């Protein structure tokens, strides 16, 4: 299989056209997530076959690919919800593949995860959902915690829905609350699994704007798994296209558009 | 390739699959369920170890524990009390006719109290709670598993074995003896009601006759049994719930299997523990 990996140096023109910012936490600080030779199989079927990826602080990488190519598995491996067969994953300089649970939980505090269907705790209110990680990891007085929850909800435009239950929220609202919960501990790495899946184009646009806003505000490394090419173009600095368990091409949106690889052209054409 | 047309092809073909022998088929049919059962037990052991490891580390999730006391204890109380009352009432009616036949109706309060405290109260409470709570835990955790809520808890850096399993198991262990006392109380009260409908007797006299010769030790062994029942119900419910696979159908299967397996184990534990108690406490 041919691998057309077009790596992009920092500072190139993109995020759909603009260069990623140089920030206090970003770019100069080195890679936030480094994945090397990552392999994962399920019952003899190889899903990831030696993936290499690097995401720097302050940078957003979109991972694209057909269904079943292991995009969501990649995110779950990074946050150690699943174990790889082999390979290395370093998050903020620390190897996470063979950590004890307690040590892994310390690293998880530095990471936020937005699940595909938000995965809000359905027995808790919106307020309690956001407070869940704060209560356990942030040493805060109750009043301080309440203010932080309100601030997080306000940053995702949900300040009026504190007492609602997840079942009372629409899909887009659940994603917003899920994003606020992922941001609660001010993570250095944000993992987003299909943030716009199942949403109408207007709500998808709103979620994309929200992701851009929080990226600006929190300045963290983000990995976004998506099928939505428009979303990838809007929010990502770089894009990696997975195919047959490998990164087929990695570069800016323009690099993908210009690629003469048959699968890449087909993918870009079908999705646009 | 050619071959002798007189020889059937199946006799010379190297590729033809060998029909499994009867012995092999029988062995497979017998071994597979045993293997499945042993695997299930092994996984249950690993699960119990994970819960135990999580239990001894901070934080102790006190708020969640209190919430589970309410969920498992307070909300099971009406059903357990009703079951206890019904058993007491029926037991009094049924026992009366037998005792009257032998002219021993004055023994009814003592027989009723002994029966309820030693056997009927604990086992009825165990089965009622395994039905209500076992299904509830299996379905709730199963639903959390398939909607990735358990993954979300883990991704937040919180140990789900402690937050979800340990709190529920401890709540079951502590609540079962209390619920059993409630079932015993209702059983005795409604036993008296049934008796007094047939032959009026004051509650005080009924209790005096019923508890004659009963000591604190009589409550200890059944209470110990209900602690084991609580452990079984909590552990099986959490285990079946947290290993759910296969969407909403899987949630249904987890709820059902939680009830069936925990009820079976409660009955099995009752048989074994009664024997042990008779050996060591009599």
């Amino acid at each position: 299989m041919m691998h057309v990996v077009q790596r992009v140096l920092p500072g190139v023109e993109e995020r759909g056209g603009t260069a990623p910012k140089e920030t206090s936490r970003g770019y100069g600080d080195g890679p936030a997530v480094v994945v090397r030779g990552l392999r994962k199989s399920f019952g003899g079927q190889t899903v990831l076959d030696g993936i290499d990826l690097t995401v720097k602080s302050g940078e957003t990488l979109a991972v694209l690919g057909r269904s079943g190519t292991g995009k969501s598995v990649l995110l779950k491996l990074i946050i150690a919800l699943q174990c790889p067969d082999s390979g290395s994953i370093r998050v903020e300089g620390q190897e996470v593949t063979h950590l004890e649970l307690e040590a892994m939980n310390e690293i998880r505090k530095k990471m936020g995860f937005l699940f595909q269907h938000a995965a809000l705790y359905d027995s808790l209110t919106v307020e309690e959902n956001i407070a869940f990680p704060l209560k356990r990891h942030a040493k805060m007085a109750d009043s301080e915690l309440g203010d932080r929850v309100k601030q997080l909800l306000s940053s995702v435009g949900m300040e009026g829905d504190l007492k609602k239950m997840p079942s009372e929220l629409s899909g887009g609202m659940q994603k917003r609350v899920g994003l606020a919960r992922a941001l609660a501990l001010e993570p250095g790495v944000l993992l987003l699994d299909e943030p716009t899946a199942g949403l109408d184009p207007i709500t998808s646009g709103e979620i994309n704007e929200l992701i851009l806003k929080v990226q600006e505000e929190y300045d963290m490394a983000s990995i976004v798994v998506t099928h939505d090419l428009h979303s990838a173009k809007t929010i990502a600095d770089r894009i990696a296209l997975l195919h047959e368990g490998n990164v087929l091409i990695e570069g800016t949106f323009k690099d993908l558009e210009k690629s003469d690889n048959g699968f890449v052209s087909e993918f870009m054409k079908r999705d646009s | 390739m050619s071959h002798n047309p007189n020889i059937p092809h199946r006799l010379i073909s190297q590729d033809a699959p060998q029909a499994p022998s009867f012995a092999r088929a029988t062995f497979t049919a017998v071994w597979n369920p045993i293997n499945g059962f042993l695997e299930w037990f092994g996984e249950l052991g690993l699960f119990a170890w994970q819960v135990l490891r999580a239990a001894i580390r901070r934080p102790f999730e006190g708020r969640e524990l209190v919430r589970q006391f309410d969920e498992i204890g307070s909300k099971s109380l009406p059903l357990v009390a009703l079951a206890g009352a019904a058993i007491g009432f029926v037991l009094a009616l049924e026992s009366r006719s037998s005792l009257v036949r032998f002219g021993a109706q004055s023994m009814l309060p003592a027989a009723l109290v002994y029966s309820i405290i030693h056997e009927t109260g604990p086992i009825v409470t165990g089965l009622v709670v395994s039905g209500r709570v076992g299904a509830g835990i299996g379905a709730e955790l199963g639903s959390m598993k398939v909607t990735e809520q358990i993954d979300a808890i883990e991704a937040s850096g919180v140990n789900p074995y402690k937050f979800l399993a340990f709190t529920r198991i401890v709540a079951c262990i502590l609540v079962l003896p209390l619920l059993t006392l409630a079932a015993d109380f209702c059983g005795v009260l409604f036993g008296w009601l049934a008796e007094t409908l047939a032959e009026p007797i004051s509650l005080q006299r009924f209790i005096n006759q019923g508890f004659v010769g009963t000591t604190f030790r009589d409550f200890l062994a059944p209470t110990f049994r209900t602690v084991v029942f609580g452990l079984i119900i909590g552990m099986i419910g959490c285990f079946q719930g947290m290993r759910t696979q296969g969407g909403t159908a899987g949630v249904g299967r987890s709820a059902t299997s939680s009830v069936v397996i925990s009820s079976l184990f409660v009955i099995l534990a009752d048989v074994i523990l009664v024997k042990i108690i008779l050996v060591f406490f009599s």
Side-chain angles (χ1 to χ4, degrees):
Chain A
M1 190 186 67
M2 186 183 67
H3 293 268
V4 190
V5 179
Q6 300 173 348
R7 298 200 182 273
V8 177
L9 294 168
V12 295
E13 185 197 326
E14 204 41 74
R15 185 169 291 202
T18 58
K21 317 173 294 302
E22 189 81 30
T23 63
S24 57
R25 205 176 177 183
Y27 272 43
D29 296 346
V33 180
V34 180
V35 174
R36 290 287 174 266
L38 193 66
R39 290 175 203 279
K40 179 71 182 171
S41 313
F42 293 98
Q45 191 196 343
T46 303
V47 178
L48 299 177
D49 191 11
I51 294 268
D52 292 331
L53 283 173
T54 302
V55 188
K56 296 190 173 184
S57 300
E59 183 190 29
T60 300
L61 174 78
V63 180
L64 298 177
R66 295 178 67 178
S67 302
T69 47
K71 303 186 296 296
S72 298
V73 171
L74 175 66
L75 292 190
K76 288 185 178 176
L77 289 171
I78 291 172
I79 202 163
L81 290 175
Q82 292 177 1
C83 292
D85 298 338
S86 64
S88 155
I89 302 167
R90 297 183 80 82
V91 176
E92 298 198 336
Q94 225 175 327
E95 180 66 45
V96 301
T97 46
H98 295 101
L99 279 182
E100 282 284 310
L101 183 66
E102 298 303 315
M104 190 58 223
N105 280 344
E106 287 304 311
I107 297 193
R108 282 174 178 151
K109 290 178 198 171
K110 299 176 191 169
M111 301 165 88
F113 197 123
L114 172 61
F115 285 81
Q116 189 170 352
H117 301 289
L120 300 179
Y121 312 129
D122 49 20
S123 59
L124 305 181
T125 62
V126 165
E127 183 181 23
E128 289 165 337
N129 262 280
I130 313 265
F132 185 87
L134 290 169
K135 274 183 184 170
R136 277 151 189 88
H137 303 308
K139 286 175 182 135
M140 285 179 168
D142 281 357
S143 59
E144 218 180 328
L145 194 135
D147 291 344
R148 174 81 179 128
V149 169
K150 280 178 194 154
Q151 183 229 323
L152 282 161
L153 280 173
S154 160
S155 71
V156 297
M158 294 283 293
E159 57 272 36
D161 301 292
L162 275 171
K163 300 293 173 196
K164 281 190 177 165
M165 298 303 286
S167 56
E168 296 173 76
L169 305 177
S170 67
M173 290 161 97
Q174 289 191 11
K175 289 267 167 82
R176 283 167 184 268
V177 177
L179 186 58
R181 187 179 65 184
L183 295 170
L185 296 172
E186 298 189 7
V189 176
L190 183 64
L191 307 174
L192 305 160
D193 191 1
E194 303 275 10
T196 56
L199 302 177
D200 64 81
I202 294 172
T203 313
S204 292
E206 288 171 1
I207 294 288
N208 287 336
E209 282 169 25
L210 186 60
I211 292 169
L212 280 173
K213 185 184 146 203
V214 297
Q215 279 167 349
E216 198 121 317
E217 207 171 312
Y218 291 87
D219 178 34
M220 61 211 145
S222 307
I223 303 178
V224 187
V225 157
T226 184
H227 278 109
D228 183 348
L229 216 53
H230 175 70
S231 174
K233 185 181 179 182
T234 310
I235 63 180
D237 300 312
R238 285 187 301 128
I239 293 168
L241 180 63
L242 295 194
H243 183 57
E244 292 178 353
N246 274 296
V247 178
L248 180 63
I249 181 167
E250 188 183 342
T252 63
F253 190 82
K254 281 182 183 167
D255 290 332
L256 266 73
E257 276 184 323
K258 280 187 235 159
S259 170
D260 52 6
N261 179 278
F263 178 78
V264 179
S265 312
E266 175 88 349
F267 193 90
M268 302 297 279
K269 197 167 65 189
R270 290 276 173 109
D271 233 60
S272 58
Chain B
M1 189 179 81
S2 63
H3 68 268
N4 186 342
N6 297 322
I7 304 171
H9 185 267
R10 62 186 171 84
L11 294 182
I12 59 167
S13 170
Q14 300 297 309
D15 303 329
Q18 297 259 315
S21 67
F22 176 74
R24 179 177 286 187
T26 310
F27 176 77
T28 308
V30 173
W31 173 246
N32 279 353
I34 295 171
N35 189 34
F37 180 72
L38 292 176
E39 260 179 30
W40 181 87
F41 240 101
E43 285 172 23
L44 180 65
L46 284 175
F47 175 79
W49 172 243
Q50 297 272 26
V51 174
L52 198 66
R53 275 184 65 189
I56 54 173
R57 290 185 177 139
R58 285 175 175 274
F60 296 114
E61 303 292 353
R63 280 187 197 178
E64 180 62 13
L65 194 58
V66 170
R67 198 176 79 83
Q68 290 306 325
F69 279 141
D70 177 48
E71 201 62 41
I72 294 167
S74 317
K75 291 179 182 166
S76 299
L77 184 62
L79 189 61
V80 167
L82 190 68
I87 292 292
F89 198 89
V90 171
L91 212 55
L93 288 179
E94 294 284 354
S95 307
R96 184 175 172 75
S97 59
S98 308
L99 291 171
V100 164
R101 202 180 302 164
F102 299 105
Q105 65 265 42
S106 63
M107 295 294 289
L108 189 124
L112 186 79
V113 166
Y114 186 89
S115 161
I116 286 175
I117 290 175
H118 279 261
E119 183 53 39
T120 326
I123 191 71
V124 165
T125 307
L127 291 176
V128 166
V129 173
S130 77
R132 187 195 167 270
V133 174
I137 292 175
E140 187 186 9
L141 297 191
S143 162
M144 289 183 79
K145 178 79 195 303
V146 300
T147 55
E148 295 185 311
Q149 290 177 53
I150 294 181
D151 282 348
I153 288 174
E154 216 172 336
S156 303
V158 175
N159 188 339
Y161 289 101
K162 173 178 284 179
F163 181 71
L164 297 174
F166 176 66
T167 51
R168 282 166 174 78
I169 294 168
V170 169
C172 283
I173 289 172
L174 296 180
V175 146
L176 250 283
L178 299 175
L179 288 174
T180 305
L181 285 180
D184 290 351
F185 174 79
C186 292
V188 171
L189 191 68
F190 276 75
W192 164 74
L193 195 66
E195 172 63 3
T196 207
L197 288 175
E199 193 181 308
I201 177 173
S202 74
L203 179 61
Q204 193 181 358
R205 194 167 159 223
F206 184 86
I207 287 174
N208 286 342
Q209 285 182 6
F211 284 88
V212 69
T214 305
T215 62
F216 180 66
R217 219 176 141 188
D218 288 302
F219 285 93
L220 275 184
T223 303
F224 168 68
R225 258 159 64 206
T226 55
V227 164
V228 177
F229 294 169
L231 176 68
I232 290 170
I233 294 164
M235 189 70 81
I236 302 282
C238 292
F239 175 62
Q240 291 298 108
M242 287 177 78
R243 71 202 292 260
T244 302
Q245 285 178 329
T248 47
V251 176
R253 279 196 298 273
S254 290
T256 309
S257 62
S258 296
V259 177
V260 172
I261 298 171
S262 59
S263 300
L264 272 174
F265 275 77
V266 162
I267 293 167
L268 196 65
D270 191 46
V271 173
I272 295 167
L273 291 171
V274 163
K275 183 67 188 164
I276 291 171
I277 287 162
L278 284 176
V279 170
F280 290 101
F281 285 82
S282 294

